[in-house]
Amino acid sequence: MPDTPENLVRRTVWPQSVSRAVGTPIQPSVVYASQSPDQLDALYEGEFAGYTYAREGHPNADVLARKIDALEGASDNGGGGVILGSGMAAITAVLLGVLKSGDHVIGGDQLYGRSLRLMGQDLARFGIATSLVDPTDAAAVAAAIRPETRMILLEVVANPTLRIADMDGILKVARASGVLVAVDNTFTTPRGYRPFEHGADIVIHSVTKMLAGHSDVTLGYVSASDPAIRKAIYDFAVTTGMTPSPFDCWLAERGLYSFHLRYDRAEANAAELADHLAGLPGIKRVLYPTRPDHPDHNRAAALLNGRGGHMVSFEVSGGRAAANALTKAMPDIAFAPTLGDIGTTLSHPASSSHRAVDQRQREALGISEGFFRISVGVEDIGLLKRDFSAGLAAAAKISP
Ligand SMILES: *Cc1c(COP(=O)(O)O)cnc(C)c1O
């Protein structure tokens, strides 16, 4: 049909090709046309595979979800994972899609800041009670379980202190009490730990971070081993409109192709950088899970197969003034409150992720004004060592 002004609005049929596109196509269409009410009925009933309306699902989200399913070992359980508009959307869909008024949920006391806020401030409005417990202490988690406890939400490696949760201990306690365990696996990634293999019920990701890896998309992922729980999460997410954009899913998929390469390189850099930092003047302490001076290094060795991950934390003396001098002396390292970018980023929890935590509690966690967290990237390690040496030298000049 020639495009005349009269029929411009009619969509042109997509050109056929006997050869196939190598890159994944982007499908931005919000709606899908069916042949007849009978066919639409059959689609809704699941008799045919297909899409109806993008809020309910679209191909770019499904392509991305199947890839993360494979990484997490989630492919075979009840429909696989669901992609959502952000990591927080995924956490919200898990908590509000599964829990009901009268339920009780236990969270790790060092969860992602917004997760703590959701649990501490929002769940109560829906009649859901929350307890926060130290996840390195399975006995403390066991003691917090009540008859109405329905779920435990954990991160394996705590931000920013990099303490390692007693996953085996907590999973055992939870199983004995019939409590669901949801793991936010963003920090650890499936390269470090695969929660389903250890008996977790729900796996959550902020895809925004290491999986997508380029700080250009905000997305989340959630998968559940029980199909009924998966459906509850999916339905809640669709109803409340946590839909991901097809373009963002496409970008995240492209980022994911190099996830293994980026992760392994970043991890090797992190281990070497941690040792380098420990030898610099002005450093108070370095935290890296596989270093012998890390409080949980034995658990890290057992749980993470000896892998330390790509996050390193460290502390300098000299308070805020030394912290300011440090970031200014290393302008090539993005000072930004994020993690998982292909390049190294540096964050200062006291002024960002933990600014809402009161000072006494921050001090109890060891998060002083001189405390920094590095999300190590894939740069040349020589460059990184030079940058951090310059930063530490500038901080040391300030420190008393
Ligand atoms: C960033 C992050 C989130 C939230 O993810 P968004 O995609 O930013 O909504 C949740 N959990 C952890 C551990 C994170 O690092």
Side-chain angles (χ1 to χ4, degrees):
M1 191 191 320
D3 278 341
T4 65
E6 288 71 34
N7 66 20
L8 270 181
V9 71
R10 301 235 160 124
R11 298 322 202 243
T12 304
V13 175
W14 195 252
Q16 293 292 318
S17 169
V18 291
S19 51
R20 67 183 172 85
V22 173
T24 302
I26 303 175
Q27 180 49 276
S29 190
V30 170
V31 284
Y32 292 80
S34 304
Q35 279 168 2
S36 64
D38 274 356
Q39 192 197 54
L40 185 59
D41 240 357
L43 258 179
Y44 276 123
E45 292 302 318
E47 289 164 32
F48 297 127
Y51 300 95
T52 53
Y53 189 68
R55 180 162 35 71
E56 316 257 333
H58 55 73
N60 288 105
D62 285 346
V63 166
L64 177 61
R66 297 298 83 76
K67 280 193 151 49
I68 302 175
D69 287 349
L71 284 174
E72 283 292 3
S75 307
D76 296 326
N77 43 33
V82 183
I83 303 293
L84 304 161
S86 69
M88 281 315 301
I91 291 165
T92 303
V94 166
L95 292 171
L96 291 179
V98 176
L99 303 176
K100 62 177 192 316
S101 173
D103 285 344
H104 171 244
V105 58
I106 297 171
D109 61 1
Q110 283 193 61
L111 291 175
Y112 184 69
R114 286 278 165 185
S115 300
L116 289 176
R117 189 185 161 110
L118 175 64
M119 297 181 85
Q121 296 183 23
D122 296 296
L123 290 189
R125 290 191 289 109
F126 298 94
I128 300 163
T130 299
S131 306
L132 299 177
V133 178
D134 175 2
T136 66
D137 183 355
V141 175
I145 291 179
R146 309 175 188 169
E148 65 275 20
T149 305
R150 184 87 201 284
M151 187 186 290
I152 302 171
L153 175 63
L154 296 170
E155 290 173 31
V156 181
V157 179
N159 173 38
T161 59
L162 311 184
R163 294 296 306 264
I164 313 284
D166 181 0
M167 296 303 294
D168 292 342
I170 295 171
L171 282 158
K172 211 164 118 192
V173 162
R175 213 169 302 129
S177 323
V179 174
L180 297 169
V181 174
V183 179
D184 176 346
N185 209 29
T186 304
F187 246 63
T188 325
T189 84
R191 203 97 176 112
Y193 183 80
R194 305 209 319 162
F196 285 131
E197 284 175 4
H198 296 263
D201 302 283
I202 297 167
V203 174
I204 300 164
H205 276 285
S206 168
V207 177
T208 314
K209 310 292 170 54
M210 194 69 176
L211 293 182
H214 295 74
S215 299
D216 49 14
V217 287
T218 302
L219 285 177
Y221 164 92
V222 59
S223 171
S225 55
D226 178 343
I229 290 184
R230 189 250 185 218
K231 185 172 183 326
I233 294 168
Y234 167 80
D235 282 337
F236 183 82
V238 170
T239 301
T240 53
M242 298 174 168
T243 318
S245 131
F247 181 65
D248 286 353
C249 294
W250 182 87
L251 267 181
E253 184 207 345
R254 195 167 75 158
L256 202 59
Y257 296 149
S258 62
F259 161 65
H260 287 67
L261 301 172
R262 286 184 283 108
Y263 189 81
D264 291 357
R265 169 68 175 257
E267 182 178 62
N269 276 353
E272 195 170 336
L273 185 62
D275 290 340
H276 175 72
L277 286 171
L280 292 178
I283 199 96
K284 260 168 97 176
R285 61 185 175 132
V286 174
L287 291 166
Y288 187 68
T290 53
R291 276 177 59 84
D293 57 359
H294 187 283
D296 302 320
H297 70 273
N298 287 330
R299 191 175 289 152
L303 208 63
L304 308 176
N305 293 317
R307 307 195 66 141
H310 63 109
M311 307 294 288
V312 180
S313 293
F314 68 92
E315 190 177 7
V316 294
S317 30
R320 176 64 70 95
N324 285 334
L326 184 143
T327 59
K328 284 184 190 159
M330 38 197 306
D332 289 341
I333 302 289
F335 173 59
T338 188
L339 65 116
D341 187 72
I342 188 160
T344 298
T345 57
L346 182 64
S347 79
H348 181 251
S351 63
S352 58
S353 56
H354 289 65
R355 60 179 299 122
V357 178
D358 74 59
Q359 198 181 343
R360 249 207 345 243
Q361 207 181 335
R362 261 199 329 247
E363 273 162 17
L365 288 171
I367 303 170
S368 69
E369 283 291 341
F371 192 101
F372 282 95
R373 185 197 74 188
I374 317 166
S375 170
V376 181
V378 305
E379 298 96 319
D380 177 82
I381 185 66
L383 263 182
L384 283 178
K385 286 180 180 173
R386 235 177 299 152
D387 284 332
F388 278 90
S389 296
L392 264 291
K397 273 196 207 133
I398 304 281
S399 77

